[in-house]
Amino acid sequence: MARRQMSSKRRFHRFGKKRFCYFCDNPNVKIDYKNIDLMRKYMSDRGKIVAKRISGTCNKHQRRIAKEIKRARFIALVPFTVQTYR
């Protein structure tokens, strides 16, 4: 079977807008476990840590965010999971 070629318009459509790391653009913003509002921006509604391809952070800052979220979970500032009812 011959492979069908995708049109150039369709091929480039699936890649979204290039995301930039918020923390690299704003070096004065500190990643800290006590900053709950900032931590919640990088957590899903169920309490999971959002992937870097979705949040747009660089590898260095994604590791730091994950570390600080886990630290905040351990001292109960942020819940481990959010209970959902069906």
Side-chain angles (χ1 to χ4, degrees):
M1 272 195 203
R3 270 189 162 166
R4 232 173 30 159
Q5 293 234 329
M6 292 182 356
S7 69
S8 63
K9 182 178 180 183
R10 188 172 175 194
R11 185 174 1 148
F12 293 111
H13 179 68
R14 67 182 156 175
F15 298 114
K17 184 173 79 170
K18 175 72 175 146
R19 298 180 192 271
F20 295 102
C21 181
Y22 174 75
F23 301 105
C24 289
D25 290 343
N26 302 309
N28 57 348
V29 176
K30 300 295 181 197
I31 302 172
D32 190 26
Y33 69 93
K34 293 176 273 187
N35 192 350
I36 307 286
D37 296 330
L38 183 68
M39 294 295 117
R40 290 212 186 260
K41 280 177 54 177
Y42 295 97
M43 293 174 66
S44 70
D45 57 342
R46 295 192 174 209
K48 295 181 176 182
I49 300 170
V50 176
K52 72 176 189 171
R53 65 181 172 82
I54 296 170
S55 65
T57 56
C58 66
N59 198 21
K60 172 183 157 184
H61 290 113
Q62 180 68 21
R63 284 193 312 261
R64 184 70 192 268
I65 288 169
K67 186 177 181 182
E68 296 298 321
I69 288 174
K70 290 173 187 177
R71 202 174 271 172
R73 283 176 178 166
F74 186 73
I75 60 172
L77 294 176
V78 178
F80 279 91
T81 58
V82 178
Q83 194 171 25
T84 58
Y85 297 103
R86 290 184 182 212

